[in-house]
Amino acid sequence: MSVLVFADTSEGKYKKSAFEVVSYGKKVAEQLGSSMVVLSINAESPQDLYAYGAEKVITVSNDSLANFNGKAYASVINQVAQKESSNVVIIDSSIDGLYLAPMLAVKMEAGYASNAVALPSSTSPFTVKRKSFSSKAFNNTVIATDNKIVGVSKNSFGVHENPVSGTTEAFEPALSDADFGVKSVSVDRAKGKVSIADADIVVSAGRGLKGPENWGMIEELADVLGAATACSKPVSDLGWRPHSEHVGQTGKPVASNLYIAIGISGAIQHLAGINASKVKVVINTDPEAPFFKAADYGIVGDAFEVVPALIEKLKVFKQS
Amino acid sequence: MKILVCISHVPDTTSKINFADNDTKFDTNGVQFVINPYDEFCLTRAMWFKEKQGATVTVVNVGNASTEPTLRKALAIGADDAIRVDVEATDGLAVAKELAAVVKEGAYDLVLAGRESIDYNGGMVPGMLASLTDYNFVNGCVGMEIDGTAVSLTREIDGGSEKLSTSLPLVVAGQKGLVEEKDLRIPNMRGIMMARKKPLAVVAGISAAAATSAASFEKPAAKGAVKLVAADQIDELISLLHNEAKVI
């Protein structure tokens, strides 16, 4: 028996979430008194995982898997789980993780708990706390099946160094045309921008900015902080910013360490999308804005005065 | 083309979330239930296919009789008929197995479902359903065109989008972008009147076993009051974020 962790990559490089799920998997293996095996597909440097406790890394190099493919990736993970007699699989709850895990669950006849926010509180019965009701509550889920899949929510466990001297082992999965019923035609990824999903810091703005021409200072603030930019629903509906930046219940969920909301009043649907962020800062002229009730820190003030001052002060802070 | 749209019956987005029976059950007292917002995008897209390319649209829900008003609303929006699988929805896998039985029985070409429900947020039913039926599957879909049996889709990825090609039969998990929010259909009086006469079949279901269960619920710890910083004291905010919150 072993715990199998899938460490996902983007263009050959590990995502930060890969180090988080390996850190998480190591702890789960300790809880179960079993070993951990980590699977990587087309990773450039699998030895990077040794720093997080990965003693055995199984590597798959296959050009047909260069682009993510949900069914094929699920098939590969299932084959490795069988080879390694893994009855617990840990993956992230990224867009791709949430794509492949349900298919893997059917293949493995496994119960699946997505968006887990903590280590299992018990291994018998196997119980894991997960987000539900759009982060307005948590659900302690019991997985009753012999095989189990846990999807770890980003930034919920953290990255923990635990250096070991690991080994790698190559594996050649058996794949068929049936695994590629869905084909990737092209990928369009914004270059040089921090994506909302990966960002530790998100700078978000709303209608208080008055118009799209005023977003320069938001982008500059994000640039200083190494943050992603986001916006409220009315802003994307008005076409001031692309829909891909819309954060909220029906937009993108954010689980960043720091979420800065500028000129956003804080509708309940917006808060549902950002509840999982750890620290929230609100800048708004209206002291009655509901967002202040959800925020950790706040400034009642005009964004057009506060944000430029914040940019200048942060530049000085970063240089110190 | 036969389209099946899976409809989740969920608390309205503004609902207060409370639990009953020693925090083991969702407290439905005073809660208004609606069509899951992600499913609404799917239903509207299905209506578009029906009107522009010719299709029949069936809606389905796994749940007890209390979900019927939600199915009637979907009928009022324009679906042709509805199926309620008369089984208590327990976990994602059990629901997916019930839906798979419906899909196989009806031999649907295209199955649409929201990428997740806004109550349990599992995001697992569409992918499980696709695997159980051996249909092709695209998750997080924000665009879809169908030409015969060939399907072109766009899905959201981290930091961008991906164009995909596949063929029917297909399960698609949709979200905003599949249609825009402004294009969502609101039932009109004629639709509501017609919905009363449309067929709503109640089927027994296969009573699939659940793989997971919700042992208990809890709410996030109460949050302390916001720390307000004066607009001319930006250094103090930076200090708090660096020294206290440790996020910069």
Side-chain angles (χ1 to χ4, degrees):
Chain A
M1 290 296 180
S2 66
V3 171
L4 174 63
V5 175
F6 174 55
D8 202 9
T9 54
S10 175
E11 295 172 341
K13 306 263 192 313
Y14 288 113
K15 297 176 182 173
K16 186 183 157 200
S17 62
F19 302 133
E20 185 170 27
V21 289
V22 171
S23 305
Y24 184 98
K26 185 72 177 174
K27 280 285 177 197
V28 174
E30 283 173 17
Q31 285 182 324
L32 293 166
S34 66
S35 58
M36 174 177 73
V37 180
V38 184
L39 165 66
S40 285
I41 297 174
N42 293 333
E44 283 173 7
S45 48
Q47 59 275 14
D48 290 354
L49 299 176
Y50 299 163
Y52 306 95
E55 284 168 9
K56 182 175 181 182
V57 182
I58 297 195
T59 58
V60 169
S61 298
N62 188 318
D63 287 344
S64 68
L65 301 170
N67 281 321
F68 171 83
N69 183 298
K71 191 173 183 184
Y73 273 43
S75 174
V76 173
I77 297 169
N78 182 47
Q79 289 173 48
V80 174
Q82 284 189 357
K83 182 176 104 62
E84 297 293 326
S85 302
S86 305
N87 62 342
V88 176
V89 176
I90 312 285
I91 57 176
D92 66 24
S93 282
S94 65
I95 288 173
D96 290 352
L98 288 165
Y99 193 152
L100 72 89
M103 291 191 278
L104 179 64
V106 170
K107 277 181 186 288
M108 291 183 67
E109 297 180 3
Y112 167 42
S114 57
N115 298 310
V117 294
L119 286 170
S121 57
S122 156
T123 54
S124 183
F126 195 95
T127 310
V128 65
K129 182 167 153 177
R130 48 183 301 272
K131 288 189 278 193
S132 60
F133 294 95
S134 304
S135 295
K136 286 187 265 189
F138 300 104
N139 172 350
N140 292 301
T141 298
V142 172
I143 306 179
T145 43
D146 290 341
N147 289 333
K148 301 163 179 64
I149 302 175
V150 178
V152 181
S153 183
K154 179 181 168 277
N155 277 341
S156 61
F157 182 70
V159 173
H160 301 277
E161 291 203 13
N162 182 10
V164 291
S165 54
T167 56
T168 63
E169 179 185 310
F171 175 72
E172 283 187 30
L175 292 165
S176 69
D177 287 347
D179 292 314
F180 295 92
V182 178
K183 293 181 177 62
S184 178
V185 175
S186 64
V187 171
D188 179 15
R189 201 175 261 123
K191 293 283 177 201
K193 280 190 77 176
V194 184
S195 78
I196 293 172
D198 288 335
D200 285 329
I201 303 177
V202 173
V203 176
S204 189
R207 261 187 306 193
L209 267 284
K210 295 188 167 59
E213 66 280 7
N214 296 321
W215 243 261
M217 65 180 184
I218 301 301
E219 286 177 333
E220 191 178 354
L221 178 58
D223 203 32
V224 173
L225 288 165
T229 53
C231 69
S232 64
K233 180 176 171 298
V235 163
S236 74
D237 285 350
L238 287 163
W240 294 0
R241 298 296 289 178
H243 284 306
S244 57
E245 288 196 0
H246 163 203
V247 157
Q249 187 138 34
T250 53
K252 279 202 169 65
V254 174
S256 57
N257 285 326
L258 172 60
Y259 185 79
I260 303 178
I262 301 163
I264 301 175
S265 62
I268 196 162
Q269 292 88 348
H270 187 84
L271 296 179
I274 62 103
N275 268 341
S277 285
K278 291 206 172 77
V279 176
K280 302 162 196 103
V281 175
V282 170
I283 299 168
N284 203 303
T285 49
D286 177 10
E288 301 300 320
F291 217 142
F292 281 113
K293 288 195 173 68
D296 299 281
Y297 304 104
I299 291 180
V300 179
D302 184 349
F304 295 98
E305 292 168 14
V306 174
V307 174
L310 183 57
I311 291 167
E312 292 313 310
K313 296 281 187 185
L314 278 169
K315 281 181 181 169
V316 174
F317 168 77
K318 292 276 177 189
Q319 284 167 357
S320 63
Chain B
M1 183 164 61
K2 288 182 73 178
I3 302 177
L4 182 70
V5 184
C6 306
I7 301 286
S8 255
H9 168 80
V10 299
D12 178 74
T13 54
T14 57
S15 301
K16 294 265 186 254
I17 304 300
N18 291 303
F19 300 102
D21 293 356
N22 214 11
D23 289 336
T24 57
K25 285 194 171 57
F26 174 57
D27 183 359
T28 56
N29 258 331
V31 172
Q32 183 167 358
F33 282 82
V34 296
I35 298 175
N36 181 41
Y38 294 107
D39 301 343
E40 269 191 282
F41 295 116
C42 294
L43 179 58
T44 301
R45 191 70 181 129
M47 297 315 303
W48 188 93
F49 284 122
K50 176 182 169 175
E51 288 158 13
K52 306 286 184 189
Q53 296 185 201
T56 60
V57 177
T58 301
V59 288
V60 63
N61 168 265
V62 177
N64 61 33
S66 69
T67 73
E68 286 193 7
T70 298
L71 281 175
R72 287 283 175 206
K73 185 180 172 194
L75 291 171
I77 286 170
D80 299 298
D81 61 337
I83 300 169
R84 179 171 67 80
V85 181
D86 191 20
V87 171
E88 203 72 48
T90 47
D91 82 329
L93 186 60
V95 170
K97 284 180 176 172
E98 297 291 350
L99 292 172
V102 172
V103 171
K104 286 174 184 167
E105 175 73 24
Y108 294 93
D109 304 293
L110 175 66
V111 181
L112 297 169
R115 76 162 195 224
E116 66 178 35
S117 65
I118 63 163
D119 48 5
Y120 290 90
N121 301 113
M124 55 186 81
V125 170
M128 288 176 167
L129 172 57
S131 289
L132 291 165
T133 52
D134 208 23
Y135 279 26
N136 291 316
F137 174 53
V138 172
N139 200 18
C141 183
V142 293
M144 172 172 55
E145 302 298 332
I146 300 176
D147 182 5
T149 60
V151 191
S152 307
L153 304 105
T154 307
R155 78 170 180 113
E156 188 180 279
I157 59 171
D158 286 347
S161 62
E162 180 179 27
K163 291 200 184 307
L164 304 157
S165 68
T166 187
S167 58
L168 301 176
L170 170 69
V171 176
V172 169
Q175 61 186 66
K176 182 181 172 187
L178 198 52
V179 296
E180 291 310 326
E181 213 145 334
K182 64 179 167 51
D183 297 326
L184 290 174
R185 306 279 176 100
I186 298 165
N188 55 27
M189 189 50 71
R190 185 166 173 270
I192 293 166
M193 298 303 284
M194 285 176 68
R196 292 182 187 166
K197 294 179 185 161
K198 288 181 178 175
L200 193 161
V202 178
V203 300
I206 56 170
S207 298
T212 62
S213 59
S216 64
F217 296 92
E218 55 188 274
K219 295 215 269 187
K223 215 190 68 55
V226 61
K227 278 191 185 175
L228 286 178
V229 176
D232 58 357
Q233 298 293 319
I234 302 289
D235 283 328
E236 190 188 338
L237 176 66
I238 291 171
S239 170
L240 286 166
L241 294 176
H242 181 64
N243 298 315
E244 187 175 83
K246 299 187 190 309
V247 287
I248 60 169

